[in-house]
Amino acid sequence: MSETTVAGLTTEEMIVNVGPQHPSTHGVLRFVVTLDGERVNECVSHIGYLHSSLEKIAETLRYEQYITNTDRFDYLNGLGNELCYVQAVEKLLGIEPPLRTRFIRTVMAELKRISSHLVYLGCYGNDIGAVTIFLHAFRERELLMDIFEAVTGGRLLYNYLRIGGLRNDLPTGFGDQVHRFLDHFPRRLTEMTDLLTENRIFIGRTRGVGMLTAEQALSYGVTGPSLRGCGVPYDLRKLRPYAAYDQVEFDIPTFPEGDCLSRHLVRMEEMRQSLRIVRQLLDKMPDGEIQAEVPRRLRPEAGEVYERVESPRGELGCYLVSDGSDKPYRMHWRGPSFYNLQVLPEMVRGGLVADFIATLGSLDPVAPDIDR
Amino acid sequence: MANTVVKTILDVIRVWAENLARHWGIPPVFVSILAWIAAFVFVIVLVLLMVLLAVYLERKVSGYIQSRLGPMRVGPIGLFQTPMDALKILTKEDIVPRDADKIMHTIGPVFFFVVAVAGYVVIPWDRGAIAARVVDLNIGVLLVMALSSLGLLGIMVGGWGSNNKWSLLGAMRAVAQMISYEVALLLAIVCVVMQAGSLSLAAITADQGGSLLQWNILRWWMWPALLLYVIASAAESKRIPFDIPEAESELVSGYHTEYSGMKFGFFFLGEYAHLFVIALIGTILFLGGWQSPLPGSIADFVPGFIWLMAKALAIIIITMWVRWTLPRLRVDQLMQFAWKGLVPLGFVAILVTGLAVALGLGGGGI
Amino acid sequence: MWGYVRDIWQGAKSIVVGHIVTFRNFWRPKITDRYPHSDAGKNWRPGPGYRGGFALLKSDEEDRELRCTACMSCARACPVGCIHIEGEGKGKERHPVSFYIDMGLCVYCHQCVEACPKDALTMTDEYEISGTSRAVLVRNLEELVAAGEGRTEVSRVV
């Protein structure tokens, strides 16, 4: 490179390890980054530190036993993962869950999306250097955690969805609790927007940084807010409505620039849309059964199924092969973080070290979701 | 009044000490040397206490801003947390990386700390008494600035000697940043010096005497310099939004990544000592130093060094407020901001101050 | 030129707004709690659906102590296999002689409680389950029965 030579002096490239022990790798990730001074020349990601063999475990567990494991790979989207898995098994068995169940599942998935985006917001602020937003975001997330705890008994690992139904119906006072949150949260969201999103330094750090074109994104299989941040309105909730998404009105926020700022703005707007969805669903919540008729032993016919949902990070897919026994023959997860991370070297090449961190954070990867 | 009381007490002590020395047959030269050492020890102890207080305040302020309580366990409302942490840091294992340059690795933090504390010798704590200052230099402000840029050497030596790439990157960033902002900081100080007509910190304080309205912060022609000083001193103390040498989320910990135990403690304490000296200089330059806001009133009963430290603490709390609000700048933005924003602003400030002084608004003149 | 000035103005404004936000938060009530020391922390109990430690419930029937019939439903339902039971007796006489739950293995999924046909096993609101060795984390029959003292309902969200 021409920049390495200044008046006959040559500098060496420096290879640094970002991770596995690094403050902003969102779990245990490792990148080998080649630096020319502050400039990033090459970035190679090394994954697998959090591989927990969840796909192999599925082959040893009965269908209904596996649900609790789905909470554990993308731990910020536990209920969404459960939704994906449960829908896949239901598809395999040909079971249709009752309407109320579908509504409740959707409400929980959307609340979980808000909570996941709040974690993103806090961590991203932390990556950029604004530490306070981290605790403000987690403070609001705590209210959601209380809601999840009241409904499912767990704060992070829920094991709430069941094949063809739910573990239990909504607790008394659920509507009030969620409505309190819905009334309270938009104010705090505005406050957090004031604190971080509109800050001139934040905009300076993210605008034009980590550029991703729509073509690149599509060719690498990037999905979710990272893709919508390139102006592609690809959202499975709209394109292929599952659960109760066909019952509600909402918009898919897209921003065309493809930089860190537009990815950030997509997530901020998605939180508002999720609030809108939850409000509509609560108003329309039907009464009735929550559990469909399910055989005592789940033995799907031999066959295969692929089910996908929109997780906060993108398209989450669950591929199941049944050989007719009560355990899956093979299972595969399409973790959105894994696919989104692949495009990182393209985005950070030529940027600065600080841009590398900002870009990594804007992809919102969850390390166990990459490795599974 | 109170000041004279304090002064009288100190005089009595001094006379007593001198008599004692004469009784023991110690020559008066040693007495004055001992007095110097005593004053220096007084300053060091004061500084360390203030540093501990500043660290405690930092934790409390950040906690309160973040809806937390901050330290609460050790002592009433967690007051003993920072002394305990200082003790803990003293007892921790001192780890030197195998491939580090051991001498440089040791010298770096010590040098940084010594230089950061050395700046205190020229601070005028009070009017004329024994604690006024350790040495009265007529180039006091210049010395402080020179020492604070010398601290860079400690950072660079430590960052290089650690044999860690993150440390090296952090140290390089620190040097680039400090050199750039030193320029802006000096331009701001030049304005004050033009106003006071002296480089001596005591003279600068005296220039703002008389009443509250004489403080540089309330002289409108000093406002560009004030703005410049606020921004540049925040960068000088390496705090968010200018904390790129440490940049926790990027460089792990920057130049002190490889430090542990007391060597880390030296960096840590040195940083707060430096922060405090910058706040003290800011107080002297713009807030009237040790002078009470209402001379001739009851406020005079509070000794001058209390006023000085109270004002400096107020400045420190404001820098904490800034630190826990803003994101961090990027390294190129930081340099751009220094050279394209602050240095031109410095020239504007000098122009404005110069005009005011020339028109007779200012006090001392050149 | 005008754009430059406006940029500075907006930048300064956004920074001031940020400081107002943090200033306001400085005075808000704090949400953290001095957990074991404060009254609220000491008295806090989780909701009825909380999934914490385990307990075996006492039977209402005269001739048996526990509801558990050592039918192994819970052990079969457990995804990690952390429940080990040995039963004794036939038919109505059947009862557990040893009942181990390894809390170090347990994933707190609640599936054992749901699988139990007799509502004999429950999760409790015990949440301080840490121990200093792995052996401490294995709950035996006596501990489980003691934990269920006075309890009649299984854990369930209501």
Side-chain angles (χ1 to χ4, degrees), chain B residues 188-208:
Chain B
I189 289 169
V190 162
C191 298
V192 181
V193 169
M194 280 163 74
Q195 161 69 30
S198 170
L199 282 167
S200 156
L201 288 168
I204 290 171
T205 310
D207 173 57
Q208 300 171 61

Side-chain angles (χ1 to χ4, degrees), chain A residues 83-136:
Chain A
L83 181 61
C84 182
Y85 173 74
V86 164
Q87 282 185 1
V89 178
E90 281 164 4
K91 214 164 157 185
L92 205 55
L93 288 161
I95 299 170
E96 182 64 28
L99 189 63
R100 182 175 169 83
T101 300
R102 280 163 51 202
F103 266 68
I104 295 173
R105 286 176 178 182
T106 317
V107 169
M108 298 309 274
E110 283 308 306
L111 289 176
K112 200 64 208 161
R113 186 184 310 278
I114 298 175
S115 125
S116 170
H117 282 342
L118 276 173
V119 174
Y120 153 79
L121 176 65
C123 295
Y124 197 50
N126 208 0
D127 287 349
I128 298 286
V131 188
T132 298
I133 188 84
F134 182 81
L135 284 126
H136 284 188

Side-chain angles (χ1 to χ4, degrees), chain A residues 15 24 38 127 132 139 204, chain B residues 67 165 173 249-250 324 333:
Chain A
I15 297 171
S24 45
E38 284 267 343
D127 287 349
T132 298
R139 179 185 65 197
Chain B
S67 290
K165 289 161 182 168
R173 282 180 172 195
S249 58
E250 294 156 24
W324 296 104
Q333 293 166 344

